[in-house]
Amino acid sequence: MTPQPLRLRLAALLGLTLTAFGAPFLPALVQAGGPPRPDAAPMSRVQAFARADALRALGQEMFFDPSLSASGRQACSTCHDPAHAFGPASADPVMMGGPALDRPGVRAVPSLRYLQAVPPFTQHYFESDDEADESVDNGPTGGLTWDGRVDGGAAQSAIPLLSPFEMANADAASLTRSLAAAPYAPELKRLFGGDIFERPEDALHAAGKALAAFEQNPAEFYPYSSRYDAYLAGKGDLTDQEKRGLALFQAEDKGNCSSCHVSERANDGEPPQFSDFGFLAIAPPRNEAIPANRDPHYFDLGLCGPYRTDLKDHTDYCGLFRTPSLRNVALRTSFFHNGVFHSLRDAVAFYATRDTDPGRWYGHKADGTARTYDDLPEAARANVNQEPPFGRKPGGAPALSESEIDDVVAFLKTLTDADLAPKTDAPRP
């Protein structure tokens, strides 16, 4: 999937359109009644990009501001640490939040890097650029969060701001009071109107637009500066082990990882995103460290609930979660939506041996037989993906040997961006 050009993303972010003939930016949404607000007035090209810069700067201040949480101690950056590709620094499977920072979350915190390329959610995605066949329906695709229930950074930001187990603002009015007391309140008024704090829902949306603008900063959020990017550009090389890992990653009869985690440039030359943004049921083991899982009747079913409710009747979607990008995956300390694994090697080994050695991952029943897919109810287990490297018989040969697992891990470490990589892993000339 090809990411939109930056200019189009900025225009969409600002709620603006640009004609094919280079006319000035015009508001896509016109305010009904009353004088136009600063965010609704027509703008020239220069003004529109100046506004985008101002929104980025404002969003950056908000991102690191703990006063926007009910506890006064939790900022966006608390869970989305810049030093960890805007993912969690902690190895805990879920983060703590709420007014007293004592309420556990329910899913592992994802990275915010490389979300600019995620398309809006659709149940029927037809990818024609690479497959050259518009009849191929790739099924549910896109959207942000593990279950794709929102599109765009502005809508996504409202989730943690209002979630009772995250930043825990009771409602838009509560958040607005914090925004009005913040040192950047005058800038919010300048950009969104002097009465912005009298309109709580609009203030919530304004905060979301600013945060989304910050998350569209290429240098911070999609630099494409890894050693693998340098290799693709002919400006660096990989070690022999890393090349073996790449071959295994792409081979359909081995890792077959690139079938979902796309590793080749797009037809237009855009760097690979290492995700097709589709949804799969991988069935990682149940994570007993998540407090919600202490209830044996509780199951996180991803696309069909419980946090996404519009698709709850699609039983064929139960257990499906969106495929994350593998960029900067070596910086993570918890893997999959439930954070059940704490090493990259274990995550790769799970793919290779889930079905050949299920007892290793799911444990055993009282009669000694291996459990399978223990974090899904029986009715949803038919949805579990069986395409390679999965689908092999118990006791059979795994898709990858131990040394091949090491090779794939070595390759995945080349996906760390240069600003986050150890000096020895910096792009090579």
Side-chain angles (χ1 to χ4, degrees):
M1 295 178 186
T2 303
Q4 285 184 317
L6 176 59
R7 177 164 295 182
L8 295 181
R9 290 198 298 272
L10 287 169
L13 177 66
L14 292 170
L16 304 169
T17 58
L18 180 64
T19 74
F21 301 101
F25 284 98
L26 299 175
L29 299 175
V30 179
Q31 181 187 14
R37 298 194 300 268
D39 59 322
M43 284 180 271
S44 70
R45 189 185 305 268
V46 172
Q47 288 172 324
F49 283 101
R51 180 178 176 81
D53 288 340
L55 278 171
R56 282 198 205 98
L58 176 61
Q60 184 169 3
E61 287 192 78
M62 290 181 179
F63 193 86
F64 294 95
D65 184 2
S67 76
L68 298 185
S69 65
S71 69
R73 292 178 286 160
Q74 187 174 50
C76 301
S77 59
T78 303
C79 297
H80 298 285
D81 180 12
H84 290 79
F86 290 93
S90 169
D92 295 335
V94 296
M95 300 293 286
M96 304 296 286
L101 294 183
D102 60 354
R103 296 196 61 177
V106 291
R107 291 175 180 164
V109 175
S111 168
L112 296 182
R113 274 201 173 180
Y114 297 101
L115 295 184
Q116 89 292 342
V118 182
F121 177 79
T122 176
Q123 292 188 63
H124 304 283
Y125 185 83
F126 295 90
E127 174 67 273
S128 60
D129 289 343
D130 296 328
E131 296 178 10
D133 184 354
E134 293 186 0
S135 69
V136 176
D137 184 354
N138 292 282
T141 301
L144 301 179
T145 74
W146 283 105
D147 55 24
R149 68 186 183 273
V150 295
D151 294 322
Q156 183 276 328
S157 67
I159 296 176
L161 286 169
L162 301 179
S163 168
F165 50 78
E166 296 182 71
M167 297 177 79
N169 290 285
D171 49 30
S174 177
L175 173 67
T176 300
R177 288 191 290 272
S178 297
L179 291 170
Y184 44 79
E187 182 70 348
L188 269 165
K189 288 184 176 182
R190 183 180 76 83
L191 291 170
F192 295 98
D195 64 341
I196 186 62
F197 300 129
E198 299 170 22
R199 298 179 276 116
E201 292 298 329
D202 287 346
L204 171 63
H205 183 64
K209 289 181 74 171
L211 289 165
F214 171 55
E215 292 165 15
Q216 288 290 338
N217 182 350
E220 293 275 5
F221 288 91
Y222 45 105
Y224 296 107
S225 61
S226 71
R227 285 185 49 225
Y228 184 64
D229 290 302
Y231 171 72
L232 288 180
K235 298 179 180 179
D237 202 0
L238 303 181
T239 67
D240 290 344
Q241 183 183 33
E242 292 161 353
K243 289 178 181 177
R244 292 196 304 270
L246 171 59
L248 293 164
F249 186 91
Q250 295 176 331
E252 293 182 4
D253 62 339
K254 298 299 290 185
N256 197 32
C257 313
S258 60
S259 63
C260 295
H261 298 284
V262 182
S263 57
E264 298 286 352
R265 286 180 178 272
N267 286 348
D268 64 358
E270 286 281 354
Q273 305 305 317
F274 280 88
S275 176
D276 64 359
F277 308 116
F279 288 79
L280 286 178
I282 301 300
R286 191 169 180 87
N287 190 350
E288 299 298 340
I290 296 178
N293 283 343
R294 294 169 188 164
D295 177 358
H297 302 292
Y298 168 82
F299 293 98
D300 187 350
L301 298 179
L303 202 53
C304 80
Y307 308 103
R308 179 167 190 158
T309 58
D310 59 320
L311 300 174
K312 63 182 179 181
D313 295 329
H314 284 261
T315 56
D316 54 328
Y317 290 173
C318 291
L320 277 64
F321 293 85
R322 184 169 63 75
T323 302
S325 173
L326 293 184
R327 285 181 172 274
N328 297 299
V329 68
L331 299 179
R332 292 197 65 85
T333 49
S334 59
F335 298 85
F336 299 108
H337 71 276
N338 62 0
V340 67
F341 297 131
H342 298 288
S343 79
L344 180 56
R345 193 183 192 285
D346 279 348
V348 175
F350 171 73
Y351 275 89
T353 64
R354 184 196 74 182
D355 295 334
T356 58
D357 190 8
R360 174 180 176 182
W361 308 109
Y362 302 107
H364 295 82
K365 302 175 185 177
D367 63 3
T369 59
R371 295 189 180 93
T372 58
Y373 315 152
D374 64 348
D375 202 24
L376 292 172
E378 191 71 38
R381 295 180 184 181
N383 299 336
V384 175
N385 185 270
Q386 299 296 334
E387 296 177 358
F390 304 124
R392 299 191 176 209
K393 300 295 184 183
L400 300 171
S401 68
E402 293 298 311
S403 63
E404 289 174 331
I405 290 171
D406 290 334
D407 291 345
V408 172
V409 171
F411 164 67
L412 292 173
K413 290 180 179 179
T414 72
L415 304 183
T416 303
D417 287 320
D419 62 314
L420 303 174
K423 290 183 179 180
T424 54
D425 289 337
R428 301 170 184 174

